[in-house]
Amino acid sequence: MYDIVLMHAPSIYDFRKRVRDYGPVSDVIPSTPIFEMYPIGFVSILSQLVPLGYRVKIENLAVEMLMDKNFDVEKRIKGLESSIFSIDLHWLPHVHGALNIARIVKKYHPESAVMLGGLSSTYYHMEIMRNYDFIDFILLGDTTEPFFPQLIDAFQGGGKLEDVPNLAWRENGRIRINRIEPPERYIDSVRLDYRYLIKQCIRNLSVKSALPYSDWIISPSGMTFIEKGCHHNCVICGGSKFAYEHSYFRKGVSYRSIDNVIDDLLSIQENLGVPAFIIGDVHEAGRKYEEELLKRIKENGIDIPIMFEIFNPAPESFYVNLEKNVSEYTVEISPESSDENVRGFAGRYYNNTGLEKTVEYAKKHGARKMDIFFSIGLSHQTRETVLKDIDYMDKMYDRYGSWVHLFTSPIAPFVDPGSLAFEMNEKFGYRIFARTLNDHYNLLEYSKSWVDSLNYETEWLTRIDIGRLSLEAGYLIAKMKKEKNLPGSNIELIEKFMNSISHDGANPLPRNYIGPIIYEKDELVWSKNIKIKNVNCFFVNLYRGILGLTRK
Ligand code: SF4
């Protein structure tokens, strides 16, 4: 019997039975189009509860379903016993899977509480509490870890539900929203201690149910973050300053203490031995924060490869610091478009000279590689500007060869609720096709292809344009890379998909393909450098190997 089971649902619950064209919606992230990666919050909730003696289990149902076509979801759910079942609805593309899993959990466990958490469930909490009676609770906001113990205690009779901060619940059919705590106050109560993940795997004799994503066995990584909230207002982003202020109760950016970030990195190194991704712009956190964090990485003997992200081009001093303190590092930046005008309309205000300088500094100061991301589906973006992106990539590849990795991908399937594009769509030239949670559920339920499930189009590109252009761009990039002898995607596969965007079923191939199309997942791997520091690392990586060999 558990106190709480943290469940991650696939994007579309019955994806294994559907005939659907999933498209390149997840080509530039570690997940498949089923979006099987659970939020980092699962590890922080585990780290919050286990030291206090609560019995917690992570159940990544999406990974289990993907990795084993015979995996019986209902049987697994029926066999679990827990006071509370908590399902993440952080990223909206999980709406279909999360609601269906919640319904099944309630069917088999009517006495248990079923709850949701994450930004999307926060955004839609009133609609959920009104219309989905199989969901009992939602913990609202971006930092809810500290409230889990109180919620479990209250549900088990050791307190009152009305005292649990940030809780949406029902009392005698009436929806109640408890007091909302300022998230800024709790930033340092969040820890990511991967030890507890390993312990749960050992105790349950199962790694699969706790895997962050299915390809983790091939290209593993750990994560930490330095901040919550954002200083920027990228137009399509549901994690922007605007979105946090208007939808998620956050008034400003909170930075985690350097001690906590270092502890997380040490935990990744000691328990997993895999590369780590630091979420949040370390340079933007200020000179003092940057210098102290990087210095402490070195002082603490952290030598796993680390990926850094920057929101704006960073100066040379940043790379000098990285070179001095981090044994192997990679940097990523998302200019969105090579067209400075389009980039500005997307909410990023730097020019190509600045971008190229930062790339040059990274190269000069020993970055292992640099990832640069462009998007399709931006305000003021046209076919011509996307083709200009490809010319730009051409020049970058000529200059840097395989050291630089350039990606372009569609904004799919949804622009985020809470983002400027969603909330002020006309101002930014977006047409929005789905407003409510149910609208989004229906988009996934009834669409036959990823193009039909887009919740938007722009004044400049229709849904079909976005679909066609994404594949055309992928095709041109793959061709260009082949000509330059750079590793790239399967051109024939992209061609097949290009021919299948017809919406009339005339060319059903290659539907039901769940995998990368315009990029190979290998292109995302920033390091295969695994450090076996101790027995935990040894067993994690041994099991990874075995799982890779036995993958069904
Ligand atoms: S996409 Fe832009 S707004 Fe969103 S988190 Fe990144 S920098 Fe902030």
Side-chain angles (χ1 to χ4, degrees), residues 14 23 46 215 243 304 310 321 363 439 472 506 526 529:
D14 48 356
L46 197 70
D215 268 357
I304 45 175
I310 49 174
N321 261 333
K363 176 82 177 148
D439 290 343
E472 184 186 354
W526 75 86
N529 195 351

Side-chain angles (χ1 to χ4, degrees), residues 490-505:
N490 179 338
I491 295 176
E492 291 74 37
L493 181 70
I494 305 174
E495 275 177 320
K496 271 191 192 173
F497 276 92
M498 284 169 81
N499 296 333
S500 76
I501 299 194
S502 60
H503 293 266
D504 57 11

Side-chain angles (χ1 to χ4, degrees), residues 357-373:
K357 272 191 185 162
T358 212
V359 175
E360 195 58 40
Y361 297 144
K363 176 82 177 148
K364 180 176 164 194
H365 293 287
R368 194 170 189 281
K369 71 178 184 109
M370 182 109 190
D371 287 348
I372 302 176
F373 293 92

Side-chain angles (χ1 to χ4, degrees), residues 227 229-244 279-281 284 309-312 334 336 346-348 416:
E227 62 189 317
C230 187
H231 296 291
H232 302 280
N233 270 321
C234 300
V235 167
I236 54 129
C237 180
S240 63
K241 183 175 189 292
F242 174 87
Y244 272 111
I279 301 168
D281 186 332
E284 193 180 74
E309 63 174 352
I310 49 174
F311 300 152
N312 280 305
S334 302
E336 303 289 11
R348 303 196 181 193
D416 296 331

